[in-house]
């Protein structure tokens, strides 16, 4: 899915304005440390507290149900958070809705993944 590739590129570009184009106003990301709102996430990016230098998937499935899409992927997210390096191998489930002819993510859920044997 081109959308997924462009999302990864926006994240690696660490451009909050570009990332914002992919997410709805009420988007949240749910991870092991809790729920982060769109505004909090974009602030972390724009301030440089959170940066990404890698965002890729080695497995991806997409299901479309009318104006709703579900993207499930497994891959690596890496960069820095509070000047500490991180590299996470995780499952990501994102729910998209089509608004005004454009797909926008409304929810992302992350969970750690095991490497395939």
């Amino acid at each position: 899915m081109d959308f997924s590739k462009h999302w990864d590129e926006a994240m690696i570009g660490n451009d909050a304005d570009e990332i914002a184009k992919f997410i709805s106003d009420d988007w949240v990301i749910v991870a092991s440390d809790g729920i982060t709102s769109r505004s909090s996430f974009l602030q972390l990016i724009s301030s440089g507290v959170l940066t990404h230098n890698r965002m890729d998937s080695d497995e991806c499935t997409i299901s479309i149900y009318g104006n709703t899409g579900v993207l499930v992927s497994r891959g690596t997210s890496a960069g820095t958070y509070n000047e500490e390096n991180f590299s996470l191998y995780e499952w990501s489930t994102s729910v998209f809705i089509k608004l005004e002819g454009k797909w926008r993510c409304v929810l992302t859920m992350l969970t750690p993944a095991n490497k395939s044997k």
Side-chain angles (χ1 to χ4, degrees):
M1 177 180 202
D2 285 341
F3 185 89
S4 179
K5 179 183 173 208
H6 293 306
W7 165 261
D8 290 349
E9 290 170 353
M11 292 297 290
I12 293 169
N14 298 298
D15 182 341
D17 292 333
E18 189 64 24
I19 294 167
K21 295 176 184 178
F22 291 87
I23 55 180
S24 66
D25 290 342
D26 59 349
W27 173 85
V28 295
I29 187 167
V30 181
S32 60
D33 58 348
I35 299 172
T36 302
S37 69
R38 176 188 200 266
S39 61
S40 294
F41 184 79
L42 294 174
Q43 178 58 34
L44 290 170
I45 298 289
S46 61
S47 68
V49 170
L50 174 62
T51 64
H52 289 86
N53 57 30
R54 181 175 175 189
M55 180 78 62
D56 55 51
S57 300
D58 57 24
E59 184 173 332
C60 184
T61 60
I62 301 162
S63 301
I64 304 293
Y65 308 96
N67 285 336
T68 303
V70 178
L71 170 65
V72 178
S73 62
R74 182 184 65 194
T76 301
S77 171
T80 62
Y81 180 70
N82 282 327
E83 299 181 1
E84 295 288 326
N85 291 331
F86 70 88
S87 181
L88 304 170
Y89 190 64
E90 57 198 358
W91 284 102
S92 173
T93 302
S94 294
V95 178
F96 296 85
I97 58 172
K98 201 167 199 177
L99 296 170
E100 301 172 359
K102 296 181 181 181
W103 289 102
R104 296 287 181 257
C105 189
V106 296
L107 171 74
T108 300
M109 176 78 182
L110 304 174
T111 190
N114 293 325
K115 295 277 185 182
S116 296
K117 294 181 179 186

